[in-house]
Amino acid sequence: MLNIVIFGAPGSGKGTQSELIIKEFGLEHISTGDLLRVEIKNKTELGKIAGQYIDKGQLLPDDLIIDILANVLEEKKNAKGIIFDGYPRTIPQAEALKKMLNKHNKDVNVMLNLEVEEEELINRLIARGLIQGRSDDNRETIQSRLDVYHSQTTPLVEYYTKEGKHHAIKGTGSIESIFEQIKTILAKHVG
Ligand code: AMP
């Protein structure tokens, strides 16, 4: 089992690289952002709550997102491996994930940190907003999301470094060149 946390700021290319990893290694994908957008589209109760946080560029409360994750993880417990995209975003979320996986004698194997400079992130997110029309890809919300990333999410770099799982990836350049770096790292983890 190969469990990967794909990590990086909003706009760092987590979704794009996840798709390539899934194709190459036959893993399952859990994107908490995608899950929440489906709930919003279907106008569920959870979607209504999630929308209030997402539109402000804030994180959902840990308890809520940990519950959601636990349910999806249960559905995918027989997967060959999972790529976690957009989760964890806080230390308590990372600790909860570790507990859930440890229960089944599993753990996160690799954390891939896509490093991209702030100016490039902003440009990418604005461009994505124009193309995909995501409600949170506008200037004001982008800034809150980046602030939240710096204050609440970056402590995970130290967390996974201490666990010996952190790998820095240069997240700029062509999609293929970024994927090549990832493949080199993952090749050491697939038997
Ligand atoms: P993403 O598509 O991963 O950028 O997520 C979009 C938005 O969904 C985030 O800005 C948060 O409001 C919410 N969200 C997604 N994943 C999480 C998470 N792990 N913890 C808290 N909020 C999340």
Side-chain angles (χ1 to χ4, degrees):
M1 180 124 183
L2 180 61
N3 292 314
I4 302 168
V5 168
I6 191 147
F7 183 88
S12 58
K14 298 189 292 292
T16 304
Q17 293 299 327
S18 291
E19 279 175 28
L20 296 173
I21 298 169
I22 290 156
K23 257 194 222 150
E24 178 92 14
F25 297 95
L27 308 180
E28 304 237 9
H29 188 205
I30 298 180
S31 157
T32 42
D34 284 352
L35 285 173
L36 297 173
R37 280 184 288 276
V38 169
E39 297 289 333
I40 293 173
K41 204 169 147 228
N42 293 338
K43 299 193 165 68
T44 63
E45 275 311 305
L46 172 59
K48 279 179 210 157
I49 298 168
Q52 291 167 10
Y53 291 94
I54 292 179
D55 287 344
K56 287 190 210 131
Q58 293 171 356
L59 297 183
L60 270 72
D62 281 337
D63 292 357
L64 185 56
I65 201 86
I66 289 168
D67 260 5
I68 296 170
L69 203 271
N71 286 331
V72 198
L73 200 55
E74 185 57 32
E75 285 167 24
K76 294 193 191 289
K77 64 173 179 235
N78 297 322
K80 188 172 148 198
I82 297 175
I83 177 150
F84 296 91
D85 167 4
Y87 184 102
R89 268 173 148 104
T90 64
I91 298 278
Q93 290 183 22
E95 288 169 344
L97 177 62
K98 190 175 177 66
K99 250 198 214 157
M100 287 181 227
L101 291 172
N102 283 179
K103 244 197 257 163
H104 302 280
N105 296 320
K106 291 167 190 161
D107 206 342
V108 168
N109 305 100
V110 184
M111 186 263 221
L112 302 169
N113 181 10
L114 295 170
E115 296 180 333
V116 178
E117 281 173 15
E118 184 120 345
E119 201 185 324
E120 166 85 9
L121 292 170
I122 295 171
N123 290 339
R124 287 187 189 178
L125 290 167
I126 289 171
R128 186 173 72 183
L130 294 174
I131 297 164
Q132 296 181 8
R134 252 178 74 162
S135 65
D136 55 350
D137 283 341
N138 60 72
R139 253 175 213 281
E140 205 180 307
T141 315
I142 287 169
Q143 199 51 58
S144 330
R145 287 158 69 205
L146 291 174
D147 293 346
V148 163
Y149 172 74
H150 289 303
S151 59
Q152 300 186 50
T153 305
T154 49
L156 289 172
V157 172
E158 200 189 325
Y159 176 91
Y160 283 110
T161 301
K162 278 193 187 142
E163 295 244 317
K165 291 169 184 166
H166 174 263
H167 297 270
I169 310 279
K170 185 173 170 282
T172 46
S174 69
I175 290 174
E176 293 76 23
S177 72
I178 299 167
F179 187 51
E180 282 305 316
Q181 297 175 61
I182 292 179
K183 272 204 289 196
T184 307
I185 293 164
L186 295 186
K188 294 176 192 146
H189 290 268
V190 284

